[in-house]
Amino acid sequence: MSSSTSERPPLHLLIAAPRGFCAGVDRAIKIVELAIEQHGAPVYVRHEIVHNRFVVDRLAGMGAVFVAELDAVPDGRPVVFSAHGVPKSVTAAAEDRGLAYLDATCPLVSKVHRQAQRLIDADRHILFIGHAGHPEVIGTFGQVPSGTMSLVESVDDVAELTVPDEHNLAFLTQTTLSVDDTAEIVAALQARFPAIRAPRGEDICYATSNRQAAVKEIARRCDRMLVIGAPNSSNSLRLGEVAERLGTPARLIQRATDIDWDWLGTPATLGLTAGASAPEVLVREVIDALAQRFAVREEEIAHVKEDMIFKLPRELVA
């Protein structure tokens, strides 16, 4: 569908910034690309390197093979572990088989892993705030002995907790949670367990926090909000929730072909953002699709500038 500009309804498009790729995602994708460049195809990747189908398909086209478990990796081929992190048992299994592996775990997730190990070494029981089944949660639980960490998903869970010693507790969090939800859960934990030890710094990563804050900057000004991201991307799902809490109907889409035009209607002002694993090319794709139906006036609303860069593994840059 296309028409002359004069026939299209006007649309003020507020584009959140920051949005899209974070430093951890950039690093993970680069690790796969460099591994293919240095070792040749195929390079195996355990699970999706990041939660984005467009990114995964592009890397597959370059020679990456995505597998569910190490059993599917043939001897003699390199394997990359995803940005979400893996249990220690996976690393140990790779070493037992003599597989060359590259760890693309986001450094901020690795920081949580190290905190967990230190707390267990100090004989503290950890209450971990996160979403059951998420790869990052599985990877973090896999850093410590079974039974030394308990999952907390909601404020309601706090009242039901049974702990070995309420005077010897600590809490950690998944890096991609809702800032507001997590603050409520932390408050409930501290109210029930006043002696609980907090992390040394914020576990929710800078990119997650910044993208949620950027949505808050624009949501109340918008009639609708589109969030580009995968349905299994925790940080992307949280962005839609942030908008909805502020009274702005929001939809998660993976790319332009997912736009529900009937739901969208003819808003005067539309908000647009992208989760931390969604590339900017998909943002432009959505804007181009909108421009086929509306006379779009773009305005980027900058919340904060990001300049974080994470180093690549030594073996890839030597």
Side-chain angles (χ1 to χ4, degrees), residues 7 12 45 76 79 112 121 140 194 212 228 244 252 283 311:
E7 295 171 344
H12 187 190
V45 184
V79 61
V112 176
D121 290 344
T140 303
Q212 290 178 26
I228 303 170
E244 294 268 1
L252 182 72
V283 176
K311 292 180 180 178

Side-chain angles (χ1 to χ4, degrees), residues 140-296:
T140 303
F141 268 71
Q143 303 304 307
V144 300
S146 178
T148 60
M149 187 183 291
S150 302
L151 184 64
V152 181
E153 294 192 86
S154 67
V155 169
D156 290 342
D157 286 350
V158 176
E160 305 298 322
L161 283 169
T162 300
V163 298
D165 179 1
E166 66 180 46
H167 300 292
N168 206 24
L169 298 174
F171 73 84
L172 297 171
T173 83
Q174 185 179 330
T175 64
T176 55
L177 299 177
S178 160
V179 173
D180 296 335
D181 282 349
T182 304
E184 291 178 5
I185 296 170
V186 168
L189 285 173
Q190 291 173 329
R192 185 174 173 199
F193 307 114
I196 195 168
R197 178 186 288 183
R200 293 178 183 176
E202 176 66 70
D203 283 344
I204 296 177
C205 84
Y206 77 95
T208 296
S209 299
N210 287 347
R211 279 151 190 71
Q212 290 178 26
V215 167
K216 290 179 182 179
E217 291 265 349
I218 65 174
R220 287 192 178 92
R221 298 170 55 187
C222 301
D223 302 310
R224 293 278 193 276
M225 174 79 70
L226 290 175
V227 178
I228 303 170
N232 58 341
S233 165
S234 176
N235 81 86
S236 300
L237 291 168
R238 305 293 82 78
L239 294 176
E241 291 171 1
V242 167
E244 294 268 1
R245 282 187 173 185
L246 294 173
T248 304
R251 281 286 175 90
L252 182 72
I253 58 172
Q254 297 200 67
R255 56 189 313 172
T257 50
D258 295 332
I259 298 173
D260 182 340
W261 298 105
D262 290 336
W263 171 85
L264 186 64
T266 53
T269 305
L270 175 66
L272 179 62
T273 190
S277 48
E280 183 66 14
V281 64
L282 297 184
V283 176
R284 295 314 312 178
E285 179 186 270
V286 167
I287 294 171
D288 290 344
L290 291 167
Q292 293 296 307
R293 294 172 179 255
F294 300 94
V296 175

Side-chain angles (χ1 to χ4, degrees), residues 64-86:
V65 177
F66 294 88
V67 297
E69 297 300 342
L70 285 185
D71 293 348
V73 180
D75 291 340
R77 292 310 303 168
V79 61
V80 180
F81 299 147
S82 82
H84 308 102
V86 298

